[in-house]
Amino acid sequence: MLTRIDHIGIACFDLDKTVEFYRATYGFEVFHSEVNEEQGVREAMLKINETSDGGASYLQLLEPTREDSTVAKWLAKNGEGVHHIAFGTADVDGDAADIKDKGVRVLYDEPRRGSMGSRITFLHPKDCHGVLTELVTSAPAEPSGH
């Protein structure tokens, strides 16, 4: 069951400049940043709020690290802007299978590693009214040390 909007992905040409815009304009700070070599992106997650299911909602800013990445190709075609919307779920495998059974194309046979150790898959935008849709199961929370 989808429980929340996990994040909205925004493709950008210059991650540092875009982070500064969101910081200066809205007061959003970087919660997490990383380079995802598999996806070919450098990203920053800006936490917007906590959610009732223990997760959070974020803006994910994405800058391509190579020209053959999906985000680089998307930027070349569309320019900067909203790239995808991601819904949080406790069971990315089960929800992807259920959605696939309803006739929606799932882009990965098996979920892949996403931001902050999450597990992700995408749904084809042509089956989702033009919206690239991501399903996300967050990584388990790390226990606090004593």
Side-chain angles (χ1 to χ4, degrees):
M1 176 177 77
L2 306 182
T3 57
R4 63 188 154 83
I5 295 175
D6 184 86
H7 67 271
I8 297 171
I10 299 172
C12 61
F13 292 111
D14 184 329
L15 184 65
D16 297 327
K17 185 176 174 181
T18 307
V19 164
E20 178 55 24
F21 168 81
Y22 281 96
R23 189 204 59 72
T25 305
Y26 306 116
F28 299 151
E29 296 293 338
V30 174
F31 177 78
H32 175 83
S33 62
E34 68 181 85
V35 174
N36 185 320
E37 296 293 344
E38 180 183 359
Q39 301 288 325
V41 295
R42 186 168 77 106
E43 63 181 82
M45 297 293 275
L46 311 179
K47 185 187 280 188
I48 308 305
N49 67 317
E50 303 289 334
T51 61
S52 63
D53 68 356
S57 293
Y58 302 90
L59 287 180
Q60 179 188 42
L61 307 178
L62 300 160
E63 174 191 72
T65 58
R66 58 181 198 264
E67 290 183 20
D68 69 338
S69 74
T70 303
V71 172
K73 292 173 187 175
W74 190 90
L75 276 167
K77 181 178 177 183
N78 301 291
E80 292 184 309
V82 174
H83 179 261
H84 66 275
I85 186 167
F87 295 109
T89 174
D91 182 8
V92 69
D93 299 273
D95 283 335
D98 290 347
I99 291 169
K100 184 176 183 177
D101 287 346
K102 294 175 183 171
V104 175
R105 288 174 280 179
V106 177
L107 298 183
Y108 302 152
D109 290 333
E110 295 289 329
R112 296 182 183 180
R113 183 195 170 283
S115 299
M116 300 183 289
S118 63
R119 297 183 69 240
I120 65 167
T121 195
F122 285 91
L123 309 177
H124 200 292
K126 288 185 179 176
D127 297 342
C128 298
H129 297 270
V131 178
L132 179 60
T133 303
E134 182 179 2
L135 304 179
V136 178
T137 296
S138 299
E142 295 189 22
S144 56
H146 293 308

